[in-house]
Amino acid sequence: MNLTLKIWRQSGPQDKGQFVTYRVSDISPDMSFLEMLDVLNEELNAKGEEPIAFDSDCREGICGMCGLMISGHAHGPEKTTTCQLHMRSFKDGETITVEPWRAEAFPIVRDLVVDRGAFDRIIQSGGFISANTGSAPDAHAAPVPKTAADRAFMAAECIGCGACVAACPNASGMLFMGAKITHLGELPQGQPERDARVVSMVNQHDHEGFGGCTNIGECSQACPKGIPQDVISQLNKDLRTALKHGR
Amino acid sequence: MTDNTTNPTGSSADSAAGSFYGGMYTEGTKVADHKAPDGPIDKKWTRRKFEAALVNPANRRKMSVIIVGTGLAGGAAAATLGEAGYHVKSFCFQDSPRRAHSIAAQGGINAAKNYKEDGDSIQRLFYDTVKGGDYRSRETNVYRLAEVSANIIDQCVAQGVPFAREYGGLLDNRSFGGVQVSRTFYARGQTGQQLLIGAYQALERQVAAGTVEQFTRHEMLEVIVDGEGEERRARGIIVRDLVTGEIETHLADAVVLASGGYGNVFFLSTNAMGSNVTATWRAHRKGAYMANPCYTQIHPTCIPVSGEHQSKLTLMSESLRNDGRIWVPKNREDCDKDPRQIKEEDRDYYLERIYPAFGNLVPRDIASRQAKNVCDEGRGVGPVVGDFRRGVYLDFADAIKRLGRAAVEEKYGNLFDMYARITGENPYETPMRIYPAVHYVMGGLWVDYDLQSSIPGLFVTGEANFSDHGANRLGASALMQGLADGYFVLPNTIRDYLAKVPPSTLKEDSPAVVEARKAVEERTERFLAINGERSVDSFHRELGNIMWEYCGMERSEEGLLKAIDLIRGLREEFWRNVRVLGSADTLNQSLEKAGRVADFLELGELMCIDALHRRESCGGHFRAESQTEDGEALRHDDEFAYVAAWEFTPPSGEQEGVGAGMGTPVLHKEDLVYEFIELKQRSYK
Ligand SMILES: Cc1cc2nc3c(=O)[nH]c(=O)nc-3n(C[C@H](O)[C@H](O)[C@H](O)COP(=O)(O)OP(=O)(O)OC[C@H]3O[C@@H](n4cnc5c(N)ncnc54)[C@H](O)[C@@H]3O)c2cc1C
Ligand code: SF4
Ligand code: FES
């Protein structure tokens, strides 16, 4: 395959940045999208041009490190992570634009790399169950109904990639946050801190500069793990309950 | 049984002079673990915990611990030490601790809970692990691992880890990797992810509480070791802020390396792109012994390489071998045919043929080695990569006929989908293709029972140490070890050190600090100054090929000697001809890779030397000169029942300086004494 790539280049946070056009040829449809960028980077390096910076680590769709806006779609045209996208999803001769996540809460570090530290800070604000090491009762002390366990698991599949934020016109982090609220809220262990958790996380979310949710649903469409929008309803419900309890 | 071992050229003759294989290494004094207390094996850990000194809660805040790595081993330790009140500094090179490579583990985590009442116990898990490691691990450490395993599950459940459950609400278990009891806890195919998120959340809670300082996108490039002789201690690290390029000094009372495994020395592996050896190799260069570096685990069911562009390999769960049948064409001419057109009598179900008793369920190393053998014979399938086809069929046609498509889909649907996504082929219709890939390393820095390395104050946990898996690791035991080390072992042993260590007088301008910092700066400058012709990746790929070819599943003296030669040549070229563009004061991913590959180029040589000296087939690796008459692995307990702990020697004289490589390593043996378990040869025929 031969392709034209319009890639966002930005030398650092202060730089304005711009699209630069590259051409790649002889791309195998079996390559992953990131391997295609590896090939381009090798060519750039050979020509004496600095390679394009982009993030990836596991390249198996689980660590959440990768994430590119590909022709306007977070993680590209398929429902998967950027690293699991393969070139057979594109047509020979196609022009592809490649951009970083764009959101105020995710400042650009360089080229296609952004800073998602805001997600860590949201978790710090309450996305955990306080259980010091060594203090745990036997694992069978509290059975968890299978339906609750399965729903908790479904929500816990979130990989923290940030595609939901990048896809949302409001750059909202509600899907990410709703997933955590749902994961911990479904479990008996998560109950004692349930009210406090949702209030602190929502405050931190707003403080980081993420936008509000207006039920557009792009987040769930873009989510490589298929986190459903109803986790946001759960979040809203938990928030109302917490406020009622006077938190 | 005959021993086909040939006398290595010059080896025994040399040994009197203390140098082996024409000066490849020398032998030093023996090492031993002095920390495991005497007494019955089931009392040792309790006793050690009791005897380890305590640190008064009021003093803990003043004591600082650096932890490099936020995987299961590092994340769990940072959270736990933070909870205890120590001042912890946690480092990782990813943009968030949650992305550590542990996240990718699929299958599950073992624990001797015996929830299934099927006869499991601490003793049995201990026994299975020692046997699985082919009698090359330390009994005391393994027993402790089995002992604390049950606590791990309790801890994780308390944190909200959503393990699979049965309808009654209790935890589900499965049997994994050929063991006879169901002791594996799992969270669908994402166990590593769920365990890591649990540890990560516990860690973030401590960040919020102010006990842990978190440094993401920071890479450790040197360890600071201060003092001489008995007074020598690890006192800090030098890191590079990967975003700003700033070189920073961090001092502490103790340093923990939980930096994961080095499987990426093979370039292609199932490890994450960033997994590397730098943290442990830098420590090795400063005096920490590297133990059994050649012990690598190669996993048989990975998706094969599709072309030269391949950047990493993807593992598929071993459970596929329960129902899939492995075969290749009998005749080479059939290798490029549509497999469905190949007649039954023209197929070679080679595992079923060679191992009728175990068939497709032979252990990982045997399945891997036989796959390589048939491909080397020219009977592999799939695309030609390099000069031959690297793949064998894993066929579900019979299973679909027997169980129905729906049942197969129910069991393996997600794996089939993943396969289809990556290869573009439909495994319900054409047989899958698989090939072995490097997956895990049992080797790592040598540690004693306290998980302390040969540098006092430097502790090593998780895959980065060598401690528990001997020459081969059982499935679902790496997660167990990482969390055992992190939650339960290290926090108890490091306090003994912290309680006794004299306060540091080290300052940013002390000689040990200045020297470590200067070394990092010079190396960084050097990478950028070489401005040669070849990319870092091209060197890495070439090194990987050498390692795979000569230090992979099957090793021979001739091959290893050749590999050492090739690696030395490649390393020399690297330092002369690598091209790293850009600057040191921004995010520069080529520069990051250059540092990692430079260290792999040294590690690779030590791995080959270790493999060369171990003239036996054991665990995950097969030594061509040590096999039985019918071609099976032959272990030599009389000669090799020891841990090979290697000491680094700097290059001599005129070669000194950045990139000069390494001198002749010194071998220290730790004898493995089996008091509680009897040694036996494996047999799967
Ligand atoms: C695909 C796959 C599947 C697996 N499945 C299973 C399974 O089912 N069951 C099982 O038990 N095991 C499994 N394993 C093995 C297991 O996942 C690993 O051995 C284990 O997770 C390693 O954990 P760790 O904490 O030691 O290191 P890692 O999780 O690798 O963490 C290393 C950490 O160190 C940091 N780091 C490294 N170098 C530096 C540096 N120089 N400076 C700063 N930070 C650094 C990294 O940022 C990272 O945070 C699997 C492995 C793979 C590859
Ligand atoms: S909710 Fe989905 S899109 Fe958002 S961070 Fe989690 S996995 Fe990514
Ligand atoms: S690189 Fe890990 S999810 Fe894509």
Side-chain angles (χ1 to χ4, degrees), chain A residues 23 28 38 56 58 65 117 126 138 145 168-169 200 204 225 230 246:
Chain A
R23 285 193 177 75
S28 147
D38 290 342
S56 78
C58 73
M65 185 99 176
D138 185 88
C168 174
S200 338
Q204 187 67 32
K225 297 294 147 180
D230 70 8

Side-chain angles (χ1 to χ4, degrees), chain A residues 11 13 28 30-32 35 38-39 41-42 44-60 62-66 78-80 84-86 88 109-110 113-117 119-121 123-125 127-146 149-150 152-154 156-161 176 180 183-184 187 189 193 225, chain B residues 76 79-80 83 93-101 103-104 106 113 115 151 153-155 157-163 165-171 187-190 193-194 197 200-202 204-208 214 216-217 243 270-275 306 309-315 418 420-424 487-488 534-538 579-583 586-590:
Chain A
S11 63
S28 147
D30 287 332
M31 279 183 194
S32 71
E35 284 169 348
D38 290 342
V39 168
N41 272 345
E42 284 288 286
L44 292 179
N45 196 69
K47 281 197 286 195
E49 284 178 48
E50 263 191 79
I52 299 150
F54 63 89
D55 268 332
S56 78
D57 202 29
C58 73
R59 294 204 178 182
E60 284 191 15
I62 193 75
C63 74
M65 185 99 176
C66 65
E78 313 268 340
K79 207 171 172 67
T80 188
Q84 288 288 287
L85 181 66
H86 283 73
R88 63 181 84 89
V109 174
R110 187 186 172 105
V113 176
V114 299
D115 176 356
R116 286 168 292 199
F119 272 6
D120 284 342
R121 292 187 292 273
I123 299 297
Q124 282 158 25
S125 71
F128 48 75
I129 291 171
S130 300
N132 280 4
T133 304
S135 63
D138 185 88
H140 271 176
V144 183
K146 187 161 163 52
D150 286 351
F153 177 81
M154 173 281 295
E157 280 190 283
C158 164
I159 58 173
C161 62
F176 166 77
K180 190 49 53 195
H183 162 203
L184 301 177
L187 300 170
Q189 294 85 352
E193 293 163 298
K225 297 294 147 180
Chain B
T80 304
E83 287 161 8
F93 62 73
Q94 292 93 344
D95 72 330
S96 165
R98 67 180 291 154
R99 308 208 198 282
H101 168 61
I103 199 108
Q106 302 170 353
K113 276 283 196 188
Y115 279 161
N151 303 349
I153 304 302
D154 301 340
Q155 182 60 32
V157 166
Q159 291 169 344
V161 171
F163 285 118
R165 287 181 184 264
E166 297 168 340
Y167 282 98
L170 299 179
L171 294 164
R188 220 172 288 167
Q190 282 122 279
Q193 178 195 26
Q194 295 309 322
I197 296 298
Y200 159 72
Q201 288 170 187
E204 295 307 294
R205 173 174 164 244
Q206 291 311 306
V207 173
Q214 172 173 303
T216 59
R217 290 200 201 268
V243 174
T270 63
N271 285 7
M273 300 300 286
S275 299
S306 71
H309 55 267
Q310 192 93 19
S311 61
K312 74 152 279 173
L313 295 169
T314 303
L315 174 83
M418 177 172 83
R421 172 173 302 291
I422 292 176
T423 62
Y487 285 133
F488 300 109
R534 284 181 66 179
S535 70
V536 177
D537 272 0
S538 79
R579 172 183 290 182
V580 182
L581 299 171
S583 62
T586 58
L587 180 78
N588 186 339
Q589 293 173 328
S590 309

Side-chain angles (χ1 to χ4, degrees), chain B residues 518-538:
Chain B
K518 205 170 123 231
V520 170
E521 284 162 356
E522 279 178 7
R523 235 165 98 89
T524 309
E525 281 162 24
R526 177 72 186 280
F527 288 134
L528 292 165
I530 297 170
N531 204 11
E533 302 274 317
R534 284 181 66 179
S535 70
V536 177
D537 272 0
S538 79

Side-chain angles (χ1 to χ4, degrees), chain B residues 69-70 72-73 93-94 101-102 107-108 220 259 270 440 463 476-479:
Chain B
T70 60
L72 293 182
F93 62 73
Q94 292 93 344
H101 168 61
S102 294
M220 169 196 154
S259 51
T270 63
Y440 180 86
E463 194 174 336
S477 283
L479 301 182

